Amino acid sequence: MQALRQIRKRMELLLMLLIGVAWGIILSELMRRTRWQFADSFLQARGHFPSSFRTRDCHTAPSTSVSTITPTNMSVPLASRLFNETRILCIVPSSPQTHLSRAIHIKRTWGSRCNKLIFMSTKEDKTLGAVDLKVKEGNSNLWGKVRASLQYAYKNHFQNYDWFLKVDEETYVVMENLRSFLYPYSPMEPVYFGNKFRSPQVKKGYMSGGAGYVLSKEALHRFMKFGFSNGSICSNRSYGYEDVELGRCLQAVGVVGGDSRDDHGLNRFIPYSPLQSYPKPPEWYPPYPYYKLANVTTDCCSNSAITFHYIYPNDLYVLDYIIYRLKTFGVPKDLEKMPVKRLMKNEMEKWRNDLPTEGKITIKLFPGTSQNTT
C-alpha cells in the first residue's frame, strides 16, 4: 500500500508539472500576439512613412489632416515627422496616352511619398488617381492645363495641404529633400520655389517648368483670388509657355520667387537628368539661370537636390534604387536634424530685391519666337 501511495504522488507531481508547462506555453503565445498587435497599432498611430519598395502597389499616402506626431518625439524618423508637418499636394499634368507609359511609374516610385498625388488629365482614372479637367490636350495647350490644375487643387484640396508642387511626367522628385527644404519657411507667405530662370516678360524671373515648382498656400490663394480671372495680368489663353505665364501672373499678384539654392550656390531643382548630364550641365542650360552658376565646385547639383528633369520611365526606378535602397558599407552618414525655422520677413525682403545675373541672353518666349534681353 505504501508503494502505491508513492507512485500516486509521483504521478500527481508529474501531472501538475505537465499542466504548468502547458499553461506557460499558452501564456507565452498570448503575450507574443499582444506585442504584435501593439506594434501594429503603434505604427498606424504614428503615421508610418510609406515604403519605396518598387514591387509593391504604391497607394496614395495616408491622410495627414490631423498629426499624431510631436516635434519632440525623437524616436520617430525625421522623414516621417516632416511627412505630417510639411504637407504637400503633388500635381502632375498627364494625358490618357501616357497614363500607362509614364504616370503609373511615377505612382510606383517617388509619387508614393507625396501626401497626395493627383494626375491632371482629360480622362478620369480612379485607380491611377487621374482627374478629367475637360481642357484641350497637347503641349501647345499646357498653360491651359496647368491653369485648370491649380484651379482644381484650390477648389478641392486647398485646406488640407501647405504646399502645392507641380512637376512634369518626366521629372523625379526626392520628396524628403523637398520637405526638409520647405520646413523652415511659412506656407502663409506669398512665395514659390524652383529653378529661377530669366525672362524679358518676368522682371523678377520665373521658375523652370521642367525642374518643377512648388507654391505656398498663400501663393496659390493669391493666384486664384486676384489673378485667375483677371485677363490683364494673368493670361486666360490655353497656349503659351506655362512656366513663363505662371511667373508673370504670380509676380503681378505679389508672389515672390524664392531662392532654392544650397549654401554653395548649387541648384536643388535640376532641369536636366544627372544620368545624362554630369558633372557639366547640357549646353542649352547656362544662359538661362537667374543667378550666376556656382564655381566653387565641379558638381552640377546640390547634395540636397530635390528634382531632376528629362527622366525616362525606367530611370525612375534606377533613381529610386540608388537613393533609397543602395547601401555603402563603412561610410557613416552625417547626423540629421530638423531644419531651423527662418524669419520670413527678412527672407522675403531679400528675394524681392534679388537681381538677375548680368549679361545677354536669348530666350524663346513662344514657339517660333525669341527675344534678346540684357
Side-chain angles (χ1 to χ4, degrees), residues 128-148:
L128 178 65
V131 300
D132 181 2
L133 292 178
K134 302 189 184 304
V135 295
K136 295 180 180 179
E137 277 291 0
N139 290 332
S140 59
N141 297 304
L142 185 55
W143 167 233
K145 180 177 283 188
V146 169
R147 220 172 152 269

Side-chain angles (χ1 to χ4, degrees), residues 226-298:
F226 304 112
F228 187 83
S229 300
N230 189 339
S232 63
I233 62 173
C234 190
S235 172
N236 53 18
R237 301 168 299 187
S238 63
Y239 61 88
Y241 288 108
E242 50 97 5
D243 45 10
V244 175
E245 292 294 341
L246 181 65
R248 184 169 71 90
C249 187
L250 292 178
Q251 181 176 286
V253 298
V255 175
V256 175
D259 185 357
S260 63
R261 296 174 300 164
D262 68 12
D263 294 338
H264 300 291
L266 296 172
N267 288 309
R268 289 186 171 98
F269 291 80
I270 317 299
Y272 50 86
S273 169
L275 302 177
Q276 309 297 328
S277 302
Y278 186 89
K280 293 183 178 180
E283 293 182 358
W284 62 262
Y285 176 67
Y288 280 84
Y290 189 83
Y291 302 107
K292 184 178 180 180
L293 297 178
N295 57 7
V296 296
T297 176
T298 57

Side-chain angles (χ1 to χ4, degrees), residues 19 28 69 114 128 182 262:
I19 293 173
S28 177
I69 299 170
C114 297
L128 178 65
L182 292 175
D262 68 12

Side-chain angles (χ1 to χ4, degrees), residues 26-275:
I26 293 172
L27 290 174
S28 177
E29 181 66 18
L30 288 173
M31 291 177 66
R32 187 165 66 93
R33 291 185 179 182
T34 301
R35 285 197 299 269
W36 285 351
Q37 292 172 356
F38 175 79
D40 290 341
S41 63
F42 174 75
L43 287 176
Q44 292 174 3
R46 77 175 191 176
H48 187 59
F49 198 72
S51 169
S52 64
F53 191 55
R54 72 175 68 172
T55 59
R56 157 184 169 185
D57 290 337
C58 295
H59 303 291
T60 303
S63 172
T64 56
S65 57
V66 179
S67 175
T68 59
I69 299 170
T70 58
T72 57
N73 188 355
M74 297 308 294
S75 65
V76 179
L78 296 186
S80 297
R81 290 165 58 193
L82 286 173
F83 181 84
N84 279 344
E85 295 178 25
T86 306
R87 302 167 301 174
I88 302 174
L89 172 64
C90 299
I91 299 169
V92 182
S94 182
S95 66
Q97 292 75 23
T98 58
H99 284 181
L100 296 180
S101 62
R102 288 191 176 276
I104 189 64
H105 303 296
I106 289 176
K107 184 174 182 179
R108 289 172 178 171
T109 54
W110 69 263
S112 65
R113 304 178 195 102
C114 297
N115 291 84
K116 185 173 183 61
L117 170 68
I118 304 178
F119 294 98
M120 302 296 185
S121 181
T122 54
K123 181 180 180 181
E124 184 181 22
D125 187 331
K126 293 183 178 179
T127 302
L128 178 65
V131 300
D132 181 2
L133 292 178
K134 302 189 184 304
V135 295
K136 295 180 180 179
E137 277 291 0
N139 290 332
S140 59
N141 297 304
L142 185 55
W143 167 233
K145 180 177 283 188
V146 169
R147 220 172 152 269
S149 299
L150 295 175
Q151 181 188 35
Y152 180 91
Y154 185 77
K155 286 184 175 181
N156 297 279
H157 301 285
F158 181 73
Q159 297 300 329
N160 297 327
Y161 301 96
D162 307 307
W163 300 87
F164 300 84
L165 171 71
K166 176 268 163 186
V167 292
D168 293 346
E169 286 182 305
E170 298 177 334
T171 303
Y172 184 93
V173 185
V174 186
M175 290 300 299
E176 295 83 358
N177 286 357
L178 177 58
R179 289 192 181 93
S180 175
F181 168 73
L182 292 175
Y183 178 79
Y185 304 112
S186 170
M188 305 314 294
E189 294 289 343
V191 64
Y192 82 128
F193 295 101
N195 190 317
K196 189 182 288 189
F197 279 7
R198 292 188 288 164
S199 168
Q201 280 194 321
V202 190
K203 181 180 179 181
K204 291 296 183 178
Y206 68 96
M207 303 302 172
S208 163
Y213 43 77
V214 57
L215 283 71
S216 71
K217 199 180 194 78
E218 177 63 16
L220 180 59
H221 174 69
R222 291 197 181 193
F223 169 75
M224 290 303 306
K225 186 173 182 179
F226 304 112
F228 187 83
S229 300
N230 189 339
S232 63
I233 62 173
C234 190
S235 172
N236 53 18
R237 301 168 299 187
S238 63
Y239 61 88
Y241 288 108
E242 50 97 5
D243 45 10
V244 175
E245 292 294 341
L246 181 65
R248 184 169 71 90
C249 187
L250 292 178
Q251 181 176 286
V253 298
V255 175
V256 175
D259 185 357
S260 63
R261 296 174 300 164
D262 68 12
D263 294 338
H264 300 291
L266 296 172
N267 288 309
R268 289 186 171 98
F269 291 80
I270 317 299
Y272 50 86
S273 169
L275 302 177

Side-chain angles (χ1 to χ4, degrees), residues 291-354:
Y291 302 107
K292 184 178 180 180
L293 297 178
N295 57 7
V296 296
T297 176
T298 57
D299 286 338
C300 68
C301 319
S302 171
N303 288 343
S304 54
I306 293 171
T307 66
F308 300 104
H309 192 221
Y310 295 125
I311 304 297
Y312 297 111
N314 186 63
D315 289 342
L316 294 172
Y317 298 101
V318 173
L319 290 173
D320 235 38
Y321 165 74
I322 293 172
I323 295 171
Y324 292 96
R325 298 180 62 192
L326 181 63
K327 307 289 185 181
T328 306
F329 176 79
V331 179
K333 293 185 177 181
D334 295 337
L335 182 64
E336 294 180 327
K337 56 185 179 180
M338 290 291 283
V340 178
K341 291 286 187 179
R342 302 204 181 187
L343 295 174
M344 288 300 293
K345 181 178 180 181
N346 297 340
E347 296 288 346
M348 296 288 284
E349 188 65 25
K350 180 182 70 174
W351 294 331
R352 284 192 185 96
N353 296 323
D354 274 350

